[in-house]
Amino acid sequence: MSHQVRIGKPGVKRIDSTEAMGIPDESREWFVSWPPVVSFCSQLTVGGLVRVRGIHQAELGSQVKALKLRAENALGAGCGQLVTSSGVALNGDATLADVRVQEGDVLHLHVREIQIAATGSAFAALLGDGSVVTWGRPASGGDSSAVQGQLQNVGQICAATHAFAAILEKNGSVVTWGKGDCGGDSSAVQEQLHEVQQIQNSMGAFAALLRNGHVVTWGDSFSGGDSGAVQHQLLDVVSIKASGAAFAAILGNGSAVAWGSSDHGGDNSAVQEQLQDVVDIQSTDRAFAAILGNGRVVTWGSADYGGNSAAVQEQLRHVQQIQASDCVFVAILTDGSAVAWGGFEFGGRRKVLASMELRQRNVQHIQASTGAFAAMCADGSATAWGTTFGGGSMTQDRLKNVQQIQSSAHAFAALCGDGSVLTWGHPSFGGDSSRVQQELRDVQQIQANRSAFAAIRRDGSVVTWGEHGGDSCAVQEHLQQVVRIQASSRAFAAIRRDGRIVTWGDPSGGGDSSSVQDQLREHAQTAGEEAPFGTEGPHEPCS
């Protein structure tokens, strides 16, 4: 979000500066000659304009955050950050003199879109000013107190199963927290973590791609945290993908390098000569599949998880994209047909039949549960296959005009063009939505965790069903104006239009954010009189 704030430009909207900035009465004369005038506009790029003029010497002792707070309140823009025209972020606790603000200087107010990342049992919210608030199971990253002072000017957050890694915008350095031996402790490689462009995670390790094309890894060595054996090959890396306990990197020359657990695809020596002109890599929990420039596919890792594609290799031509579940790959070909291979326990005898059934169906997208797949086709129809327990059985004549499909571990939810929702699969994992079916109308998007679903309706309200996170009665009155929802394995976190965050589900899995709600409210929009949390607008009773 971008806001333009002009201070000192007459004729727009005059506000008493000393009262608006919270300056004590006895100090009010400091600001008499600097009346801020505020105007607002939105742009596609982040940035707002603050023009400084008429500063007296005494005014230089005021803090940067006083000016920032005034702009945020006037615009209802949420918490942001003031930066100079050259992009240097200003410390809110510093004085104007400390940051050398002078007559005629132009500052920018950056207000980011709130982002939430999740481990298995904790959440981390990246707020508008680049700070981070965490909650949930401490051992899984819910407690960031040890590094809180370092979590400023954060650009993005990556989550493994029990740890988080944050990339700082200033120099691309990295801050980690959570379970130390699962990626939460990066002290051994901290000096190498600069100019980081992206981070990928396995279950218990992280791999950071640097600007110079090198790779730095840390965490559980079994999960790919130790790349020493291939470090000399990790040069000119362009992208990294991860399985459950291994990594695979695509190099600039089109070759690929793998490391980590050999049982999870960490050893690609058997197919190394075939890995030329690699354009993309996807993974199941224990295998990798690489798409080559000629549309062929090379696989390695555990055969039961898709690492052996010999049975379907002749069909794997002109592959456009590959999608995967925990143990099965599905390749979509340029003609819209699909080919599946992988674990027999989840594909079984229907695996080949399913691939044949999808011929000429023009498949656009495939969503996977643990033991089944659901395919969306260009004509709006959909089909499912795999184990009945995993959601592989559905009456196809009901799946029409499908716009989105989401999956829990063993169930699916399909959003149709009229805003209705169809569900199938194991009832305990959200496959049965009969309890809330009448409320599932005008739905815009669906999110899922391991055993529940949450649907956002057109009016910003939320409907939930399933097990952990499927009952949102305790926070239903707060679930208004919701724009996005993030999930951990057993909980949900909803971001509202005003920047507030509402959580529910298993308390130990991140469903209880009461300990940090004060911090989260401080960063929500503050324009006008603010109603008590969770009381805005009408809502339907929770059945």
Side-chain angles (χ1 to χ4, degrees):
M1 183 182 296
S2 171
H3 301 286
Q4 198 169 66
V5 184
R6 303 179 186 275
I7 297 185
K9 182 177 180 180
V12 183
K13 177 182 177 183
R14 183 168 293 277
I15 305 169
D16 184 281
S17 61
T18 56
E19 182 178 8
M21 296 180 68
I23 305 302
D25 289 344
E26 59 270 21
S27 303
R28 198 164 282 185
E29 66 272 16
W30 292 4
F31 292 83
V32 170
S33 61
W34 187 18
V37 181
V38 179
S39 65
F40 166 78
C41 72
S42 291
Q43 303 173 353
L44 293 177
T45 57
V46 175
L49 193 60
V50 179
R51 297 191 183 278
V52 180
R53 74 176 204 176
I55 302 178
H56 287 186
Q57 188 66 31
E59 296 162 1
L60 295 176
S62 63
Q63 290 182 313
V64 170
K65 64 183 178 183
L67 177 59
K68 181 178 77 75
L69 180 61
R70 175 63 197 104
E72 293 165 354
N73 286 342
L75 297 172
C79 191
Q81 186 174 47
L82 284 176
V83 301
T84 66
S85 57
S86 60
V88 177
L90 301 183
N91 183 349
D93 293 327
T95 65
L96 297 179
D98 292 336
V99 298
R100 299 182 180 180
V101 172
Q102 299 178 2
E103 173 78 13
D105 281 357
V106 176
L107 306 177
H108 296 264
L109 177 67
H110 284 203
V111 182
R112 311 161 190 255
E113 186 178 74
I114 295 174
Q115 302 175 32
I116 298 179
T119 61
S121 303
F123 291 98
L126 174 54
L127 305 178
D129 62 351
S131 63
V132 175
V133 175
T134 61
W135 66 95
R137 190 186 300 275
S140 294
D143 180 4
S144 57
S145 57
V147 296
Q148 198 62 51
Q150 304 173 51
L151 291 172
Q152 305 297 325
N153 302 323
V154 174
Q156 57 180 289
I157 300 175
C158 181
T161 305
H162 296 292
F164 291 100
I167 303 177
L168 306 188
E169 286 190 332
K170 184 177 181 180
N171 57 6
S173 60
V174 174
V175 179
T176 59
W177 68 99
K179 191 173 182 180
D181 58 1
C182 291
D185 181 2
S186 57
S187 57
V189 296
Q190 198 62 51
E191 293 184 358
Q192 304 173 49
L193 290 171
H194 294 283
E195 297 190 332
V196 173
Q197 300 297 291
Q198 62 169 279
I199 296 177
Q200 287 289 337
N201 65 279
S202 64
M203 291 187 296
F206 292 101
L209 176 58
L210 310 187
R211 184 185 298 274
N212 62 9
H214 292 187
V215 174
V216 179
T217 60
W218 68 97
D220 179 24
S221 58
F222 175 81
S223 298
D226 181 1
S227 56
V230 297
Q231 195 62 50
H232 63 287
Q233 301 177 54
L234 293 173
L235 306 174
D236 192 26
V237 174
V238 295
S239 67
I240 302 172
K241 293 295 174 66
S243 68
F247 294 94
I250 301 176
L251 308 188
N253 63 6
S255 62
V257 178
W259 69 96
S261 167
S262 58
D263 291 337
H264 291 74
D267 180 4
N268 64 347
S269 57
V271 295
Q272 190 66 60
E273 294 184 358
Q274 303 174 49
L275 291 170
Q276 305 299 323
D277 194 22
V278 176
V279 296
D280 188 32
I281 294 178
Q282 293 298 326
S283 66
T284 60
D285 184 56
R286 298 192 179 194
F288 291 98
I291 303 177
L292 308 186
N294 61 8
R296 301 302 300 267
V297 173
V298 177
T299 59
W300 69 96
S302 172
D304 288 342
Y305 286 74
N308 185 347
S309 56
V312 294
Q313 194 56 232
E314 287 305 310
Q315 302 174 52
L316 292 174
R317 300 175 183 271
H318 309 296
V319 173
Q320 187 175 41
Q321 60 173 294
I322 294 176
Q323 297 181 32
S325 70
D326 286 348
C327 56
V328 178
F329 289 106
V330 176
I332 299 178
L333 312 188
T334 53
D335 65 359
S337 61
V339 179
W341 72 98
F344 288 103
E345 64 269 38
F346 294 117
R349 296 178 180 176
R350 293 198 61 198
K351 178 177 57 183
V352 177
L353 178 61
S355 299
M356 295 173 61
E357 288 174 346
L358 290 172
R359 294 281 176 187
Q360 310 304 323
R361 290 290 299 277
N362 199 6
V363 175
Q364 300 292 299
H365 176 74
I366 292 178
Q367 185 71 28
S369 69
T370 300
F373 286 94
M376 290 174 52
C377 302
D379 61 1
S381 65
T383 186
W385 75 99
T387 63
T388 303
F389 179 86
S393 177
M394 176 59 178
T395 304
Q396 294 185 20
D397 58 6
R398 297 182 60 198
L399 291 172
K400 298 179 180 179
N401 196 17
V402 175
Q403 306 295 306
Q404 178 196 7
I405 297 179
Q406 273 286 6
S407 61
S408 64
H410 298 291
F412 292 95
L415 173 60
C416 300
D418 60 0
S420 63
V421 175
L422 296 175
T423 61
W424 69 97
H426 196 288
S428 297
F429 289 82
D432 180 4
S433 58
S434 57
R435 179 179 61 84
V436 295
Q437 198 61 52
Q438 291 186 345
E439 301 173 54
L440 288 173
R441 60 184 187 277
D442 297 324
V443 173
Q444 300 293 293
Q445 56 178 290
I446 303 172
Q447 182 59 279
N449 66 16
R450 180 171 175 76
S451 59
F453 293 91
I456 303 176
R457 295 174 54 180
R458 186 185 303 276
D459 62 2
S461 61
V462 174
V463 180
T464 60
W465 67 98
E467 289 296 319
H468 302 288
D471 182 357
S472 56
C473 288
V475 295
Q476 198 63 46
E477 63 177 316
H478 305 309
L479 290 173
Q480 308 296 325
Q481 307 173 30
V482 173
V483 292
R484 293 192 313 282
I485 295 176
Q486 180 59 280
S488 67
S489 62
R490 297 161 66 92
F492 292 102
I495 302 173
R496 303 195 335 179
R497 186 172 291 108
D498 59 9
R500 298 179 185 178
I501 295 174
V502 183
T503 61
W504 69 98
D506 183 358
S508 64
D512 180 4
S513 59
S514 57
S515 63
V516 296
Q517 273 300 325
D518 287 345
Q519 299 174 57
L520 294 173
R521 286 194 188 100
E522 288 176 4
H523 292 79
Q525 292 182 8
T526 54
E529 286 297 318
E530 189 172 295
F533 182 78
T535 62
E536 306 84 85
H539 60 85
E540 296 181 1
C542 189
S543 57

